[in-house]
Amino acid sequence: MNDASPGPGAVLSGRQRDQARRLLDDAVVRFRGDPVGTVAATDPEAGNQNYDQVFVRDFMPVALYYLAAGEPGIVRHFLARTREMQASERSLTGQQPGAGLIPASFKVGDDGALVPDYGGNAIGRVAPVDSSLWWLYLLRVYTEVTGDRSLAAGPEFQQAIKRILELCLVSRFDMYPTLLVPDGSFMVDRRLGVYGNPLEIQVLFYMALRAAEELLGEADDGWIYREAVQERMGMLLYYLRTYYWLDLPRLNQIHRFATEEYGPDAVNAFNIVPESVPTWLPDWLPEPGGFFVGNLGPARMDFRFFSQGNLLAVLSGLAGERLAGEIMALVAAKAGDLIAEMPMKLCYPALEGEDWRIMTGSDGKNVPWSYHNAGSWPVLTWLLAAAGHRTGGTQVAERALAAAADRLERTDWPEYFDGRRGRLVGKEAHCFQSWTAAGVLLADHLLADPSLLDAAAFADDVTPIECSV
Ligand code: GLC
């Protein structure tokens, strides 16, 4: 793949594009001669951590970039091999990955076989809830881009889709349409108070359901799954737009909420205590502008802004036209905080002081304004460009990429940046990080040629189904 041309671009220099592209090609992992993914980082100083593995979530922008560049082969092999590694055994011991789970990462072992990690070896033993959801989404994008319906339509892929749906749709203890997950189950794969119903997982769940609806075949019981998917999708849409949405009018309601309401007529169904609204929020929230809050549960609204969940909500149609416009208005109005000098903050603001101590467990890697705790992640630039296209304005993404490109090149494409303005290379960041290069290349490509979005976005055509809590 080394001599392929980097394709069109809008902002990066030819040299920057070549460099980022070479970084990706050098990261390609081969299995029995086929390219099956890219390692997380090719940093020679990466130490004994698992950055030499192919992470499913890290491969997403890489895969989208290769699809945009007209090279779908690696994506097809990735989908086929990860399908083979999907956990398939039902078990009642609680000691095995649940049937349907796609691993967090994998590598080629010493004996030449693929070795998956379902989180059992990961730092903190975190569960990769997002992998299966991303996998379904990628299968949809691959199918749309290539027009190759045969891969997803085959019996083994149909079974894999159904397994993921069973894993997600089964009744559990809670009765919300969202997914209840442990801490650190997505891009934020460490303790950060993101247990429960974090936004990013809910949006990925919505995208996975949309993908499944399109990909499920008619054969056998496919229609039973499709009906279940459609119902859950509509309820999830209603629920997120109703209860997770926050703008100034909604904040005013919350500010005056009554508490301790019992029964079906409760307005403040989750018993959110108005005093839990953080002091930074009322002055920070622009008008127009709004966003989906980071998490919601009993007496708990996490008011932090999480970039990936919000931008995916725009891309997936979950936000609809109006809310998508409000999210992007907020991003533009608050670019000084959310983008500053390196796109883009993973979340805003940082947990500090006692909040940091309690919510992260005194995590030295997640100190305020570093890493997941409001550090800046260049991989998110592609979503900024994609969401910008969706709402009719890419100036913010263009400006952000133009301001960051030289520094990314000079600093060897780090994983993340630190500081309120994102001026410092992350304290423990790996360099030559694949999704940094891919996220930036893909953003550059989308700014010049957004046609991939025909396959990567969803129309806003799902009817919300009212569901009370
Ligand atoms: C970090 C990130 C995680 C990523 C992994 C590999 O653990 O938090 O999202 O998948 O590194 O890059």
Side-chain angles (χ1 to χ4, degrees), residues 203-367:
V203 179
L204 284 172
F205 183 30
Y206 179 76
M207 292 165 70
L209 291 173
R210 297 216 58 173
E213 186 197 22
E214 290 178 17
L215 298 169
L216 278 167
E218 290 302 324
D220 306 329
D221 52 359
W223 64 274
I224 299 178
Y225 286 83
R226 180 165 316 100
E227 276 186 14
V229 162
Q230 283 165 340
E231 188 176 26
R232 187 67 171 260
M233 204 159 75
M235 287 167 62
L236 187 61
L237 183 65
Y238 176 88
Y239 185 93
L240 291 169
R241 284 186 186 171
T242 306
Y243 299 110
Y244 278 63
W245 183 253
L246 187 76
D247 52 15
L248 200 56
R250 177 71 175 154
L251 186 60
N252 268 286
Q253 281 174 357
I254 295 172
H255 178 59
R256 294 166 60 89
F257 262 166
T259 55
E260 312 300 334
E261 295 171 301
Y262 176 79
D265 297 330
V267 177
N268 180 8
F270 292 97
N271 203 32
I272 306 295
V273 179
E275 282 67 30
S276 69
V277 173
T279 48
W280 60 268
L281 184 64
D283 293 335
W284 186 80
L285 203 54
E287 197 176 27
F291 65 102
F292 290 103
V293 295
N295 210 331
L296 181 68
R300 172 176 182 225
M301 190 174 270
D302 182 341
F303 293 94
R304 283 175 290 174
F305 175 88
F306 281 81
S307 297
Q308 181 139 285
N310 273 285
L311 296 176
L312 284 173
V314 174
L315 185 67
S316 63
L318 190 153
E321 205 176 316
R322 188 179 72 79
L323 302 188
E326 298 271 318
I327 290 170
M328 296 314 278
L330 177 137
V331 169
K334 294 292 158 185
D337 291 329
L338 300 178
I339 297 173
E341 295 185 35
M342 182 55 66
M344 168 175 202
K345 291 275 168 232
L346 188 153
C347 64
Y348 181 90
L351 295 172
E352 300 190 84
E354 201 56 1
D355 286 343
W356 166 78
R357 204 179 61 74
I358 294 169
M359 292 229 245
T360 73
S362 301
D363 186 349
K365 197 163 175 182
N366 266 332
V367 294

Side-chain angles (χ1 to χ4, degrees), residues 40 51 55 57-58 186-187 189 371-372 377 415 433 435:
Y51 282 70
F55 278 78
R57 75 173 69 87
D58 293 44
F186 55 106
M187 178 178 179
D189 58 356
Y371 200 45
H372 302 140
W377 292 68
E415 180 185 12
Q433 183 85 13
W435 70 356

